[in-house]
Amino acid sequence: MNRFTVLLQKEWLDAKRSYKLLWLPVVFMFLGILQPLSSFYLPDILKMAGGLPDGMTITLPELTASEVLASALTDQFDQLGLIVIVMATMGIIASDKNNGMLAFILTRNTTLVEYLLSKLVGHAVMIAGSIFLGFLTAVFYTFYLYQAVSVARIAAGLGVYYIWCLFMLTFVIAIGALLSRTPAIALLSIFVLIFLKTITLLEGGFQILNPAHLSNQAVSIITSGNVLPHFFITMTVSVLLIVFCLIFATSYLSRKELPSM
Amino acid sequence: MHYGYHIEIDEIGAWLPLLLPILILHLILFSVALVDLLKRDQSTDYKWLWGAVIILVNIIGPILYFVLGRRQRSDAPTSSKSTPKKVRKS
Amino acid sequence: MHLLQVSQLQKKYGNHEVVQNVDFHINQGECVALLGPNGAGKTTIIKMILDINKLTGGKILLNGKRHDQMRKFIGYLPQHPTFYPWMTGRELLIFMGGLSNIERDILEERINELLKLVGLSEVENQLIGTYSGGMKQRLGIAQALIHQPKLLIMDEPVSALDPLGRRDILELLKVIKQKSTILFSTHILHDAEELCDKMLIINKGQLLVNGSIHQIIEQTQKPIFIIQAPRLSEWTHQLMNEDLIESIELTGNAAKVRVKNIEQGRDWLLSHILKAQLPIQKFELVQESLEEIFLRMVKSS
Ligand SMILES: Nc1ncnc2c1ncn2[C@@H]1O[C@H](COP(=O)(O)OP(=O)(O)O)[C@@H](O)[C@H]1O
Ligand SMILES: [Mg+2]
């Protein structure tokens, strides 16, 4: 059997035994439910809670189904979802590195590249499954409460959004290679990723170089069926950044004397 | 729901199919976390603490337990050794 | 050609020379003990052979080839094997065997044999997190043998165990020794003596002695005078600064005296005993034991 498969099977077993395989999709399913349900029932809930104080009125915009789906991505997946992805991946390199397992595994004829790829692929699949299931529940609720949206647009939007998720994953892997303490890895990753996400609110040409902008692209695809300008540049830049993160992690770890048992 | 007394019977009927999946997901997370916590060899204090978190904090509680509460076992070395440092001696 | 050839091996951490110009070699089929007190540099040497730590000088050849290309032919048991606590013993062996590209059906067979050899067959499906220290050590030995390595390297395989566990592992290693080439480190002379025919004694990063146990005893053994008498300490005090005397060790009312020249030393000691009118109960010339050689070397280096 090939070594990469062996490493991948180990990742899978780890995910099962640590229940990551359970909670990661479940969290995204919650997030998927949350957006359509709260958008739909918010007026009712406000009314039931006794209404607004006298003299205060708010007008809740009438949302379309595709807008609800889009905001599931930007308001749920990109905030709590982002934090959850970082929490699920913050320890994947650091724990093996710190307890000497990585140095030990490398005394067999594995290579760092195989090792990192197994981490990447294992978690990329888990994240793909999670955002797929999460969005699927969002779609069900939206279809039920609002109306149907073109499935092709949803699929295309989600595909683009997934590249942004892959960037998050490889970024956390790179930070995990660089730092040792998981809280530091989590904080730095969340800080940078949220920062990238926040500056997408600004106008400016630099957006096309920002992988977080892919999430805006996804929204545009879902709501209008069209991509924003410079879509392919952003896409290319993101893929290059993903590759760069992996190369950085590999070269940094191979040059360093790893902690060992 | 805190708003229970405002809701009429037919409204509950409309909410139920929407809330049921949430309930089921929560139940799965909740029971898996609790069973795992009970099976682990940890001090009673530890179990009470995390038990409270799992039971009292809806949805987030079990997840916090999976991410943080179980880390000691999967991260820490199994032999009686010092904590992970950048460099380990002998 | 030697199986393992280490020449002018050197390791520095900053200015601290942890390993200094160490030379040795191991032939096929030998069992070699790397013996030295804690902090001598044993683990560092082993990790350099495995290319976990980088060399700052020297060369390591395995079967005549550079060591970093050859580490897949080494079976390695770390000093503190930790492994994945969430795996079962059998799963770990499948994992480690898979990383060494062993075919699945051959692997299954070999795992069964090894589990039997190390006596873990009954707990193979329990999580490693529940294993005791001795069980982990056995599992560590099994994973080190899974790819039938040319060289088995073990870092203090018995040091962390209780007397019973240590006995078990030593017996196990005696069986393994018949088929494998072994390099193992220890700080306990007795273990080295029991298991191996060759020894490398190191201290403070320097190789002090290298050879078979017989050779070491023959070449480095020195005679010692044992003098037993009451109130020895005052008398031995006066001897401290004498040129002829190499060292004096006082335990209770017996003194172990090493001298530079046996004949002169004996006459000198006897005349001094007479002069001091020391009521001796014993005056004897004995040969150093291996342990005394080891201790002398470690102390004087
Ligand atoms: N990463 C390191 N940085 C600095 N000094 C180290 C490092 N690793 C080991 N040493 C030093 O090297 C010496 C030898 O250590 P080691 O090889 O572990 O000894 P042994 O295994 O014989 O007990 C010790 O003095 C130790 O402090
Ligand atoms: Mg050591």
Side-chain angles (χ1 to χ4, degrees):
Chain A
M1 205 174 13
N2 142 336
R3 297 187 304 254
F4 177 71
T5 324
V6 173
L7 286 165
L8 207 55
Q9 279 174 345
K10 183 214 84 186
E11 287 305 311
W12 198 247
L13 192 64
D14 187 8
K16 267 196 327 205
R17 299 258 158 96
S18 65
Y19 300 103
K20 204 185 274 177
L21 216 47
L22 173 75
W23 65 259
L24 195 58
V26 168
V27 172
F28 275 92
M29 283 160 84
F30 273 124
L31 294 177
I33 295 175
L34 208 59
Q35 192 61 35
L37 205 59
S38 63
S39 322
F40 190 77
Y41 282 107
L42 194 60
D44 286 356
I45 291 171
L46 287 177
K47 207 164 43 181
M48 276 188 283
L52 293 164
D54 286 343
M56 187 175 155
T57 54
I58 52 167
T59 46
L60 294 164
E62 283 287 317
L63 291 171
T64 66
S66 55
E67 281 167 348
V68 171
L69 276 183
S71 59
L73 282 189
T74 52
D75 294 352
Q76 306 299 336
F77 286 20
D78 265 353
Q79 289 171 19
L80 255 179
L82 180 151
I83 292 174
V84 165
I85 287 181
V86 172
M87 296 237 289
T89 52
M90 63 190 180
I92 59 177
I93 307 294
S95 67
D96 278 356
K97 192 175 64 168
N98 293 344
N99 65 24
M101 205 58 197
L102 177 53
F104 183 65
I105 287 175
L106 292 177
T107 64
R108 299 293 166 139
N109 44 356
T110 14
T111 60
L112 257 175
V113 174
E114 283 169 337
Y115 172 81
L116 287 173
L117 277 183
S118 77
K119 290 280 177 188
L120 173 72
V121 173
H123 287 82
V125 169
M126 259 183 272
I127 290 172
S130 300
I131 65 166
F132 174 75
L133 283 176
F135 213 63
L136 196 65
T137 50
V139 166
F140 273 132
Y141 272 71
T142 312
F143 282 19
Y144 181 80
L145 295 171
Y146 295 82
Q147 70 220 36
V149 181
S150 149
V151 175
R153 281 195 207 169
I154 295 175
L158 205 57
V160 170
Y161 182 79
Y162 181 60
I163 304 294
W164 159 231
C165 293
L166 276 186
F167 171 77
M168 296 188 212
L169 171 62
T170 49
F171 184 74
V172 180
I173 288 179
I175 300 294
L178 185 65
L179 305 177
S180 295
R181 299 178 45 79
T182 36
I185 295 167
L187 283 179
L188 182 61
S189 306
I190 290 175
F191 178 81
V192 172
L193 293 173
I194 297 255
F195 175 77
L196 289 179
K197 172 68 194 161
T198 312
I199 59 172
T200 59
L201 298 173
L202 305 174
E203 298 292 320
F206 60 87
Q207 296 300 355
I208 59 170
L209 303 178
N210 184 354
H213 195 56
L214 286 177
S215 146
N216 296 5
Q217 294 281 5
V219 166
S220 167
I221 292 172
I222 292 173
T223 51
S224 71
N226 295 318
V227 293
L228 302 171
H230 307 302
F231 169 73
F232 285 103
I233 299 179
T234 316
M235 202 69 164
T236 314
V237 167
S238 304
V239 171
L240 288 180
L241 283 175
I242 288 171
V243 173
F244 171 78
C245 283
L246 288 176
I247 291 174
F248 169 81
T250 315
S251 71
Y252 182 79
L253 287 176
S254 64
R255 263 184 288 118
K256 211 180 143 216
E257 202 162 85
L258 296 169
S260 46
M261 303 180 190
Chain B
M1 282 274 137
H2 302 296
Y3 319 108
Y5 50 92
H6 284 295
I7 301 176
E8 313 200 341
I9 297 295
D10 56 330
E11 271 184 86
I12 294 182
W15 281 65
L16 206 59
L18 295 175
L19 290 181
L20 210 58
I22 301 186
L23 219 65
I24 292 171
L25 287 181
H26 182 241
L27 218 62
I28 294 174
L29 275 190
F30 174 85
S31 45
V32 171
L34 217 54
V35 168
D36 182 72
L37 177 68
L38 291 178
K39 272 197 311 196
R40 299 188 59 190
D41 51 340
Q42 286 283 1
S43 70
T44 334
D45 282 355
Y46 183 91
K47 291 192 178 185
W48 277 111
L49 179 76
W50 278 110
V53 171
I54 292 168
I55 293 167
L56 298 179
V57 188
N58 280 336
I59 301 169
I60 312 274
I63 290 161
L64 278 182
Y65 170 71
F66 287 134
V67 178
L68 303 173
R70 298 183 85 258
R71 261 183 60 207
Q72 260 142 316
R73 193 167 66 186
S74 46
D75 262 15
T78 47
S79 65
S80 54
K81 241 179 83 188
S82 57
T83 49
K85 275 246 179 93
K86 268 200 166 171
V87 172
R88 277 246 179 84
K89 294 188 179 175
S90 74
Chain C
M1 189 171 50
H2 305 301
L3 179 61
L4 179 74
Q5 171 90 51
V6 172
S7 31
Q8 292 295 302
L9 189 63
Q10 209 184 53
K11 179 73 183 178
K12 276 188 198 169
Y13 284 111
N15 280 334
H16 185 26
E17 275 196 73
V18 174
V19 175
Q20 304 170 31
N21 303 329
V22 167
D23 285 292
F24 66 89
H25 61 80
I26 297 177
N27 293 318
Q28 184 90 41
E30 279 180 337
C31 173
V32 180
L34 188 57
L35 180 65
N38 285 327
K42 305 182 292 293
T43 301
T44 309
I45 291 176
I46 286 176
K47 283 182 181 168
M48 284 195 285
I49 296 174
L50 281 147
D51 197 34
I52 293 173
N53 289 0
K54 313 262 185 284
L55 331 184
T56 42
K59 207 159 74 173
I60 301 175
L61 297 177
L62 191 74
N63 250 356
K65 300 205 187 81
R66 277 182 47 157
H67 71 300
D68 49 348
Q69 264 115 55
M70 299 298 281
R71 59 185 187 173
K72 57 183 170 228
F73 298 108
I74 301 176
Y76 171 48
L77 172 68
Q79 186 168 2
H80 308 280
T82 50
F83 309 135
Y84 291 119
W86 47 265
M87 272 190 182
T88 67
R90 174 174 277 274
E91 282 163 354
L92 180 88
L93 295 180
I94 294 174
F95 174 59
M96 296 309 289
L99 289 184
S100 294
N101 295 69
I102 305 170
E103 294 291 330
R104 191 57 187 248
D105 34 347
I106 300 174
L107 183 59
E108 292 289 339
E109 216 170 279
R110 220 178 269 172
I111 287 176
N112 290 335
E113 275 167 34
L114 280 172
L115 282 170
K116 214 191 288 165
L117 176 71
V118 300
L120 287 177
S121 300
E122 274 164 33
V123 292
E124 60 171 42
N125 291 321
Q126 283 181 23
L127 293 183
I128 297 172
T130 66
Y131 281 17
S132 70
M135 285 154 85
K136 268 178 222 156
Q137 213 75 351
R138 289 156 180 281
L139 184 64
I141 293 172
Q143 67 76 28
L145 289 169
I146 193 106
H147 52 313
Q148 301 184 319
K150 290 191 194 304
L151 174 64
L152 175 62
I153 297 185
M154 292 175 287
D155 197 355
E156 310 237 8
V158 295
S159 303
L161 302 177
D162 60 48
L164 267 175
R166 143 188 250 114
R167 199 63 266 146
D168 285 353
I169 299 281
L170 280 174
E171 294 307 322
L172 173 61
L173 293 183
K174 277 183 197 164
V175 176
I176 292 169
K177 180 180 125 173
Q178 295 170 354
K179 287 193 203 154
S180 316
T181 312
I182 296 182
L183 171 67
F184 90 105
S185 78
T186 176
H187 61 268
I188 297 161
L189 174 80
H190 189 75
D191 294 342
E193 209 179 345
E194 178 166 348
L195 211 59
C196 286
D197 5 271
K198 251 177 93 178
M199 271 192 216
L200 306 163
I201 299 183
I202 63 165
N203 191 31
K204 294 184 184 149
Q206 282 172 319
L207 186 61
L208 305 179
V209 192
N210 172 4
S212 73
I213 293 178
H214 280 299
Q215 281 172 340
I216 292 177
I217 292 180
E218 266 172 33
Q219 289 167 8
T220 57
Q221 195 173 43
K222 287 190 181 174
I224 313 177
F225 289 100
I226 296 190
I227 303 167
Q228 205 175 321
R231 299 190 319 277
L232 257 181
S233 60
E234 293 158 35
W235 181 72
T236 50
H237 228 79
Q238 302 163 8
L239 284 131
M240 289 291 188
N241 297 326
E242 288 299 332
D243 277 348
L244 261 173
I245 309 280
E246 213 173 79
S247 73
I248 302 174
E249 234 176 278
L250 194 65
T251 40
N253 58 355
K256 281 183 193 170
V257 183
R258 289 172 214 268
V259 295
K260 285 179 183 148
N261 179 304
I262 302 180
E263 279 76 35
Q264 284 179 12
R266 178 181 49 208
D267 296 348
W268 193 89
L269 277 173
L270 282 171
S271 68
H272 263 251
I273 287 168
L274 280 175
K275 225 193 283 174
Q277 293 197 312
L278 204 63
I280 51 166
Q281 290 149 349
K282 189 175 178 183
F283 185 88
E284 192 181 9
L285 180 63
V286 296
Q287 294 295 321
E288 271 180 324
S289 69
L290 192 56
E291 178 147 11
E292 282 161 335
I293 296 175
F294 173 55
L295 288 175
R296 166 167 58 81
M297 293 197 148
V298 167
K299 269 183 199 155
S300 65
S301 72

